[in-house]
């Protein structure tokens, strides 16, 4: 892999993965986390675990999640702030599912700045719309019934352009074609990370 001129020195280790529901970003996050030696942090998984455990957080977010909408920003900020403060994230992380909006991206920047850190890159996994609807229909998660799946895609369509614009302006955005076999997408992401800034 070509040297990547990271703002944090060395290899890119503080990354966010952006992509529509059904884009395979969760799968890529797991594979890449292994390869880069950093934890994959999925806010969706953390929230689902909280709901399953019936914790205070779970009770609070259950309804916000069930319709396919977003959990409120203060709750998300607290969740991410606490998670990034854990020792395993000290040297890097791969965030999957956060930030989802421009406001959350600004919050993440503040959280990292408070720790003397900054992001190395934002990876956008692109998948054509028709493909997404098919993939979601085949996944069968509880919140993936048709109406909810559509609502989640709608939220993505509304919020994502500004999020992407935010990272584009910072020169952090890398786009990858997600409409390919899993291994191919992984290779393209690694290649994108290898590009000099
Ligand atoms: P995901 O597994 O990333 O698709 O997330 C599943 C659900 O968790 C979403 O539909 C939201 O309700 C909630 N969620 C996850 N991440 C966020 C976030 N960054 N902001 C708001 N809600 C989120």
């Amino acid at each position: 892999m070509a040297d990547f001129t990271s703002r944090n020195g060395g290899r890119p280790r503080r990354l966010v993965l952006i992509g529509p529901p059904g884009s395979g970003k969760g799968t890529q996050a797991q594979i890449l986390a292994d390869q880069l030696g950093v934890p994959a942090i999925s806010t969706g998984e953390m929230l689902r675990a909280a709901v399953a455990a019936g914790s205070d957080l779970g009770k609070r977010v259950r309804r916000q999640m069930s319709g396919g909408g977003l959990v409120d920003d203060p709750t998300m900020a607290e969740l991410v702030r606490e998670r990034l403060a854990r020792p395993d994230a000290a040297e890097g992380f791969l965030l999957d599912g956060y930030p989802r909006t421009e406001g959350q991206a600004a919050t993440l920047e503040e959280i990292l700045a408070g720790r003397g850190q900054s992001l190395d890159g934002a990876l956008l996994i692109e998948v054509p719309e028709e493909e997404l609807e098919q993939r979601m229909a085949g996944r069968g998660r509880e919140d993936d019934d048709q109406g909810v799946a559509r609502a989640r895609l709608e939220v993505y369509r509304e919020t994502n352009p500004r999020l992407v614009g935010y990272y584009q302006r910072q020169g952090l955005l890398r786009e990858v074609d997600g409409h390919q076999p899993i291994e191919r997408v992984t290779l393209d992401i690694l290649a994108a990370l290898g590009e000099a800034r």
Side-chain angles (χ1 to χ4, degrees), residues 9-161:
R11 300 173 71 189
R13 298 175 75 85
R14 298 195 175 97
L15 303 166
V16 302
L17 268 184
I18 304 168
S23 63
K25 70 179 154 50
T27 303
Q28 292 299 330
Q30 292 295 339
I31 297 171
L32 289 163
D34 271 357
Q35 299 215 5
L36 298 173
V38 297
I41 299 176
S42 159
T43 48
E45 262 174 39
M46 291 170 76
L47 293 170
R48 281 189 291 279
V51 170
S55 66
D56 286 347
L57 170 68
K59 285 179 194 141
R60 208 144 35 84
V61 300
R62 199 166 56 90
R63 197 159 321 133
Q64 289 176 304
M65 290 178 75
S66 64
L70 295 182
V71 170
D72 65 280
D73 283 343
T75 298
M76 292 310 300
E78 202 42 42
L79 187 73
V80 170
R81 189 189 305 277
E82 279 176 16
R83 182 62 187 87
L84 293 183
R86 290 197 354 217
D88 66 334
E91 298 302 320
F93 54 78
L94 200 71
L95 268 175
D96 160 19
Y98 190 94
R100 269 173 152 85
T101 65
E102 190 180 18
Q104 289 185 355
T107 299
L108 175 61
E109 202 175 334
E110 279 169 31
I111 292 172
L112 292 176
R115 308 173 57 80
Q117 299 170 349
S118 59
L119 217 54
D120 291 318
L123 294 153
L124 173 63
I125 302 182
E126 299 195 284
V127 177
E129 297 265 321
E130 322 79 67
E131 173 71 16
L132 288 178
E133 302 211 349
Q134 279 176 18
R135 287 191 195 186
M136 276 193 293
R139 194 159 61 168
R141 213 169 65 195
E142 199 181 301
D143 61 355
D144 276 350
D145 67 60
Q146 292 260 321
V148 177
R150 204 147 284 143
R152 285 156 48 84
L153 194 53
E154 195 50 45
V155 169
Y156 178 82
R157 285 199 196 103
E158 275 169 24
T159 59
N160 205 58

Side-chain angles (χ1 to χ4, degrees), residues 122-126 164 168 173-177 188 192 195:
L123 294 153
L124 173 63
I125 302 182
E126 299 195 284
V164 166
Q168 221 153 23
L173 194 74
R174 300 283 181 277
E175 293 171 50
V176 174
D177 177 7
D188 282 3
E195 285 170 17

